Amino acid sequence: MLSEKIEKIKNMIFNDELTWSRQSGVPFILVAINETEQLYLFPKLEELQRDGEIQGYSVEIVNIEKLLYELLLKDENGDLSEIYEFEQEDFQEFHMEIQNTLLRLLYEWILQRAEQLGQSGRIIFTRVGSIAPHFRLIQLLSKLENKVEIPLCFFVPGTVTSNRFMMLDDIDISGSRAFYL
């Protein structure tokens, strides 16, 4: 099943037509993966990256959890102690502020990175389930609509049925116009 999804992704993102994105108007692909597929994901993504580079595409694989940590650390000048203290003092306010901060940092990074990669760029995100406690994936995708032109592919733990995409089998992310696999 994972191999079929990877082949479908290759067919969708390794061309300059991107006709599939014209249907929804956004170059986003959400790929549901289960626990077993997660075990084999990284080697398959490395293969996808090599194939893309052979065809002239710059494919970047991003662990979204690690990226968010690095972005937050940079935003806080390498010291997270104030964030830890803020969390202890007022968790409700902290939670709202960290949501906004992480969403902003990721959004800005994607815009900047997509521009740096140019039209031949492709960004693949893993560990997408890790954002669920902080903000909704739909929020990010909505902000990115009409802002990026290169394909963004998100590997999301969850299941897809004929009309619903359930992230972590709990959070409905069907409201996005993204292409689902």
Side-chain angles (χ1 to χ4, degrees):
M1 186 78 151
L2 180 59
S3 293
E4 293 170 7
K5 291 176 186 178
I6 296 293
E7 285 304 313
K8 189 161 189 167
I9 291 166
K10 286 179 187 179
N11 291 332
M12 292 173 72
I13 68 173
F14 294 154
N15 65 70
D16 295 325
E17 299 289 319
L18 302 179
T19 55
W20 58 271
S21 72
R22 290 195 188 106
Q23 295 169 0
S24 63
V26 294
F28 311 144
I29 303 170
L30 304 181
V31 183
I33 55 171
N34 61 39
E35 293 170 1
T36 304
E37 291 172 323
Q38 183 71 41
L39 296 172
Y40 304 101
L41 182 60
F42 196 71
K44 292 289 187 186
L45 291 180
E46 287 178 325
E47 176 187 314
L48 182 141
Q49 185 177 41
R50 280 190 305 274
D51 289 352
E53 289 172 358
I54 289 168
Q55 296 180 46
Y57 295 96
S58 299
V59 180
E60 187 161 340
I61 301 169
V62 178
N63 175 327
I64 205 166
E65 184 175 37
K66 182 179 176 187
L67 175 63
L68 282 172
Y69 175 74
E70 291 168 353
L71 291 172
L72 185 60
L73 193 60
K74 182 179 177 184
D75 192 56
E76 294 294 318
N77 299 314
D79 183 9
L80 298 179
S81 58
E82 285 184 29
I83 288 179
Y84 296 136
E85 291 170 13
F86 183 30
E87 180 183 21
Q88 297 298 316
E89 291 171 13
D90 188 347
F91 182 76
Q92 295 286 53
E93 189 176 336
F94 162 80
H95 188 63
M96 288 178 54
E97 190 169 316
I98 201 74
Q99 285 178 340
N100 293 332
T101 299
L102 291 175
L103 180 59
R104 175 184 56 82
L105 291 172
L106 183 57
Y107 168 75
E108 290 171 355
W109 183 89
I110 291 172
L111 291 181
Q112 181 182 33
R113 193 66 188 131
E115 185 177 320
Q116 290 169 346
L117 289 171
Q119 288 300 317
S120 67
R122 308 296 188 254
I123 306 175
I124 312 292
F125 292 95
T126 64
R127 305 278 304 151
V128 176
S130 67
I131 68 169
H134 307 297
F135 58 86
R136 302 245 182 232
L137 180 60
I138 299 253
Q139 289 174 285
L140 176 64
L141 297 178
S142 294
K143 284 182 67 114
L144 290 169
E145 278 190 34
N146 301 314
K147 303 278 194 265
V148 291
E149 296 177 11
I150 66 170
L152 305 178
C153 183
F154 299 85
F155 282 85
V156 181
T159 54
V160 173
T161 62
S162 60
N163 61 351
R164 296 184 78 140
F165 193 125
M166 298 299 289
M167 179 176 182
L168 302 169
D169 293 334
D170 182 46
I171 303 166
D172 188 352
I173 59 173
S174 304
S176 164
R177 294 188 312 156
F179 189 89
Y180 301 147
L181 286 178

